[in-house]
Amino acid sequence: MMLWFSLQPHVTEARNQFELSPTSTSSAPPYRESLLSLHKSLVDFNSTSGSEAEVGQFLIHYLIEHGFVAENQTLPTSDPNTPRFNVVAWPESRNSTSSKVVVTSHIDTVPPYIPYSRTGPDPPTAETVIAGRGTVDAKGSVATQVIAVLELLASGAITSDDVMLAYVVGEESAGDGMMYFSNITAQQPVPPKAAVFGEPTEGLLACGHKGALICVITANGVSGHSGYPWLFKSATEVLMRGLIKTIDTDLGTSERYGNTTVNVGLLSGGIAANVVPDSATATVVGRVGIGPETGGSDIVKDRMLDVLTSVDDEAFDFECSDRTYGAIECNCDVDGFETTVVNYGTDIPSFKGNHTRYLYGPGSILVAHGANEALTLGDLEAAVEDYKRLILHAVET
């Protein structure tokens, strides 16, 4: 059963009734076995960020066997002992050097690796539950995108010049795979007019997602004996007061994306329980609820710094990463899709250009990254049909 995760469902539209999804019929779609096999093969590889080479090689061989020209796009900073590369592919009969639409997702996952498993009747039905690391985020998107494109090509609904596939590394860490792909694509004489990004959206078309801000906050104090804490300055106490006030402050809110939230992911400080600590550090991630895409995160960063300074105008050092951005807008004006807005980050801002951006995928973000990551076969089959409609829309618009 799907979990509803959107804090603010945006404009909601009823699905068109001109076609039934595979989950609403008693018969299996003709691609069921191919979809199951591809999805399982992808999930069977442990492709934690930084270790994507094996799944990438598999995907290249798979795509070549199914009529694509496929190659690895090696990242220039790769360790020669641990190569890292994106997988890019296009139909082998393509006449031009560019494609109208890029269909893309990522092949890396977060740790720890969780083996593939399947629960349900044999033979499998739409209700069959498929679990394991990456089943949702984002190998569910990769598998259903590939099958959808193969189906569209086989039916003649799209031509070999319409689409290309790009499956990148590093989305869960530094985003370096998409940034490199973006740099290469920018050199093409004719840029793509649209990109379809695959991430878990509950089978809804996302109108956008929150921005991101990653910062390290360090509090400085004066060490001393814990029996006389008032004579010294506890860095951990100052840091805690600053963090709580930051969390409780409205750092930026919009109607579409909601409020900016702050998660304290890492926290450390002190050397012993009976010593007043002179240093404490927190690493926080802000989910930015305001725009613009370029600059929205800077507004939030300045507000965070003002909050910390109001707690103590001397104690804090505050440093944020360069990979920051404000709220991201996507196109969601597509007939037949219900829509939503999501709170997580994606590779969308790393793919530069004037192309139209679509965000869609099977499965729930609430189980992604967790021990219970799973989705149903029906989710996957519905995604194939939805990707077919979405890719057709992107090609024809």
Side-chain angles (χ1 to χ4, degrees):
M1 181 174 65
M2 281 190 174
L3 298 172
W4 179 260
F5 69 94
S6 174
L7 293 180
Q8 316 194 3
H10 192 53
V11 182
T12 302
E13 303 171 350
R15 281 188 186 273
N16 282 355
Q17 299 301 313
F18 64 84
E19 66 177 4
L20 295 175
S21 74
T23 57
S24 62
T25 70
S26 57
S27 60
Y31 51 76
R32 173 171 286 179
E33 288 303 320
S34 297
L35 174 60
L36 274 170
S37 176
L38 175 57
H39 187 239
K40 181 180 186 302
S41 295
L42 293 170
V43 176
D44 277 341
F45 289 98
N46 179 355
S47 58
T48 303
S49 299
S51 304
E52 306 99 338
E54 288 188 345
V55 73
Q57 288 290 1
F58 162 79
L59 195 51
I60 286 173
H61 292 315
Y62 181 94
L63 292 170
I64 290 173
E65 289 176 356
H66 287 79
F68 284 81
V69 174
E71 60 185 38
N72 59 17
Q73 190 179 76
T74 303
L75 273 63
T77 56
S78 296
D79 180 344
N81 297 319
T82 311
R84 298 185 66 228
F85 54 87
N86 300 325
V87 174
V88 293
W90 51 89
E92 60 184 0
S93 56
R94 184 173 73 164
N95 296 313
S96 66
T97 58
S98 302
S99 300
K100 295 178 183 177
V101 177
V102 175
V103 179
T104 182
S105 188
H106 61 94
I107 54 176
D108 65 315
T109 67
V110 297
Y113 176 67
I114 303 171
Y116 179 98
S117 66
R118 203 163 75 194
T119 305
D122 189 20
T125 67
E127 290 72 34
T128 295
V129 175
I130 304 170
R133 179 60 76 229
T135 50
V136 173
D137 190 12
K139 293 174 181 179
S141 289
V142 175
T144 52
Q145 286 177 343
V146 170
I147 298 299
V149 170
L150 288 172
E151 288 278 304
L152 290 171
L153 289 168
S155 69
I158 61 174
T159 71
S160 56
D161 291 327
D162 285 333
V163 297
M164 71 170 294
L165 304 176
Y167 295 116
V168 302
V169 300
E171 191 274 343
E172 299 288 5
S173 53
D176 46 352
M178 181 55 77
M179 286 187 280
Y180 186 65
F181 174 76
S182 178
N183 291 336
I184 297 297
T185 304
Q187 301 172 25
Q188 298 297 319
V190 181
K193 68 174 187 176
V196 177
F197 293 84
E199 291 282 358
T201 66
E202 296 273 5
L204 306 174
L205 188 59
C207 297
H209 65 76
K210 285 186 176 181
L213 180 67
I214 304 173
C215 301
V216 177
I217 303 171
T218 301
N220 302 293
V222 178
S223 63
H225 197 288
S226 63
Y228 304 87
W230 61 88
L231 297 178
F232 308 101
K233 186 173 185 176
S234 169
T236 55
E237 179 182 337
V238 173
L239 180 61
M240 287 188 294
R241 293 183 187 279
L243 292 174
I244 293 299
K245 189 169 183 179
T246 299
I247 291 170
D248 289 343
T249 298
D250 182 357
L251 299 171
T253 302
S254 64
E255 182 177 354
R256 171 175 283 194
Y257 301 100
N259 61 312
T260 297
T261 59
V262 176
N263 177 66
V264 183
L266 297 172
L267 190 61
S268 63
I271 57 173
N274 61 347
V275 176
V276 175
D278 61 1
S279 181
T281 302
T283 302
V284 304
V285 173
R287 300 296 180 178
V288 179
I290 58 172
E293 179 175 330
T294 301
S297 58
D298 291 332
I299 296 171
V300 171
K301 181 171 63 175
D302 291 342
R303 290 174 181 175
M304 289 176 65
L305 184 57
D306 288 343
V307 171
L308 295 172
T309 302
S310 72
V311 172
D312 191 306
D313 61 2
E314 297 179 344
F316 290 103
D317 293 326
F318 184 64
E319 187 172 344
C320 299
S321 73
D322 294 331
R323 193 188 177 203
T324 64
Y325 49 88
I328 301 295
E329 291 190 13
C330 298
N331 187 291
C332 59
D333 186 16
V334 183
D335 289 343
F337 283 89
E338 295 181 359
T339 61
T340 190
V341 173
V342 296
N343 293 348
Y344 52 80
T346 72
D347 268 334
I348 290 175
S350 296
F351 189 16
K352 305 301 182 183
N354 295 322
H355 49 270
T356 304
R357 306 181 296 193
Y358 302 95
L359 176 60
Y360 170 92
S364 169
I365 196 64
L366 295 184
V367 298
H369 296 199
N372 60 336
E373 183 171 358
L375 77 179
T376 68
L377 176 55
D379 294 336
L380 292 175
E381 291 173 351
V384 172
E385 297 304 315
D386 282 345
Y387 273 130
K388 286 162 64 176
R389 290 189 295 139
L390 188 55
I391 293 166
L392 270 175
H393 174 87
V395 168
E396 294 171 354
T397 302

